[in-house]
Amino acid sequence: MVGLLPLTLTAATVRRRGKRLLGPLDLTLDQGGLTVIIGPNGSGKTTLLRVMHGIERLSSGTAQWSLPPAEARQQQAYVFQSPTMLRRSVLQNLRYPLDLLGHPRAEASARAADWADRIGLGQALDRPATRLSGGERQKLALARALIREPQVLFLDEPCANLDGRATRDIETLLLAVRATGTRIVMATHDMGQARRLADDGVFLRGGMVHDSNRAPSFFDAPKTPELASFLKGDIVE
Ligand SMILES: Nc1ncnc2c1ncn2[C@@H]1O[C@H](COP(=O)(O)OP(=O)(O)OP(=O)(O)O)[C@@H](O)[C@H]1O
Ligand SMILES: [Mg+2]
């Protein structure tokens, strides 16, 4: 497979209605591992994820993959904070990305059933996805993103509002996926989760990268007092 990474952001800036939401920001996303993006509400986490995935227009600067944009996009997946489910069955939701890519029906069904097993919905293939619980839905959204075997996976708060068990199931899945070489970039407000999963961390503040480092130094020896405060749970503007 042709490599998609690194992704290089150069002076990437997003402005809307005269307000600067992000940047100018320089950031390189290298091969392998899981990057956690943290920061206060409104600090630009979602905007940064969207810029990386290419669904947020830059006002200036560039975001460049090692492949042309259209090819690069095909090899990435993005899971929104509140994923929308098709008003169809669990099985149909899972196989939908493969159907779009023109995979043979039997193969798409087999892979979808396999993913349903992996997320504990193997007995619920025919259940309408809109009737699933929040945790089940989030797992379904993740599986639907992963069924295409993307090289890079973006996640925006994948465990917001989930209980400990659903969170653990999702983290287990993410670790398994990372082990196969999938690059993961995840925004989270859950500092426990950030520590459990991160290979490296990025701390955003006011649309800028305020601090970043490899784990565990990112958490144990923050370079800035603001990150130290944020990790302690203090209010950081
Ligand atoms: N289309 C838009 N037009 C104007 N402002 C926007 C737009 N999208 C986002 N913003 C603003 O940009 C800033 C960054 O938003 P963003 O959603 O990236 O933050 P975040 O770190 O993901 O926050 P949260 O933790 O609440 O999810 C916020 O002040 C937000 O109100
Ligand atoms: Mg957000």
Side-chain angles (χ1 to χ4, degrees):
M1 199 187 295
V2 188
L4 182 58
L5 293 158
L7 166 67
T8 310
L9 303 190
T10 309
T13 309
V14 176
R15 279 187 220 91
R16 296 286 178 267
R17 296 188 199 110
K19 194 173 158 232
R20 186 183 52 79
L21 309 185
L22 191 77
L25 194 144
D26 295 318
L27 195 68
T28 304
L29 202 64
D30 283 320
Q31 298 290 347
L34 190 151
T35 299
V36 155
I37 301 175
I38 62 172
N41 289 130
S43 58
K45 301 179 296 296
T46 299
T47 308
L48 175 58
L49 288 173
R50 291 171 55 89
V51 161
M52 288 177 161
H53 188 47
I55 53 176
E56 185 80 50
R57 180 174 52 79
L58 285 174
S59 310
S60 55
T62 56
Q64 195 145 23
W65 295 94
S66 301
L67 294 175
E71 277 174 61
R73 182 80 62 82
Q74 276 186 5
Q75 306 200 26
Q76 314 165 28
Y78 188 108
V79 180
F80 293 91
Q81 183 173 337
S82 310
T84 36
M85 297 291 124
L86 299 177
R87 295 181 159 278
R88 298 185 199 164
S89 69
V90 165
L91 184 76
Q92 283 167 331
N93 267 273
L94 282 168
R95 57 172 295 159
Y96 182 67
L98 299 179
D99 292 340
L100 284 184
L101 291 169
H103 284 255
R105 290 184 62 82
E107 184 221 313
S109 292
R111 273 169 70 178
D114 183 43
W115 270 103
D117 278 337
R118 287 185 68 176
I119 56 172
L121 290 176
Q123 303 302 315
L125 292 179
D126 297 325
R127 209 191 300 166
T130 44
R131 302 258 181 82
L132 297 175
S133 73
E136 289 167 339
R137 244 179 233 231
Q138 205 64 31
K139 281 188 255 186
L140 180 61
L142 185 54
R144 193 173 58 183
L146 287 169
I147 200 164
R148 291 192 291 124
E149 300 178 347
Q151 289 185 44
V152 183
L153 174 67
F154 295 104
L155 302 162
D156 197 356
E157 310 212 20
C159 301
N161 306 318
L162 301 190
D163 66 17
R165 174 145 182 235
T167 298
R168 191 190 60 201
D169 288 349
I170 286 182
E171 289 183 7
T172 303
L173 196 56
L174 292 179
L175 291 173
V177 166
R178 176 179 64 177
T180 67
T182 305
R183 185 71 170 91
I184 303 175
V185 185
M186 179 177 85
T188 183
H189 275 288
D190 178 343
M191 291 307 119
Q193 173 169 73
R195 281 176 190 269
R196 286 192 294 276
L197 298 180
D199 293 301
D200 54 83
V202 171
F203 174 55
L204 290 184
R205 194 173 164 234
M208 304 295 283
V209 176
H210 192 75
D211 203 336
S212 67
N213 207 345
R214 304 282 304 168
S217 306
F218 180 74
F219 301 102
D220 297 338
K223 290 181 278 188
T224 59
E226 290 80 10
L227 174 56
S229 299
F230 187 76
L231 289 169
K232 270 195 289 176
D234 294 347
I235 294 170
V236 175
E237 305 286 341

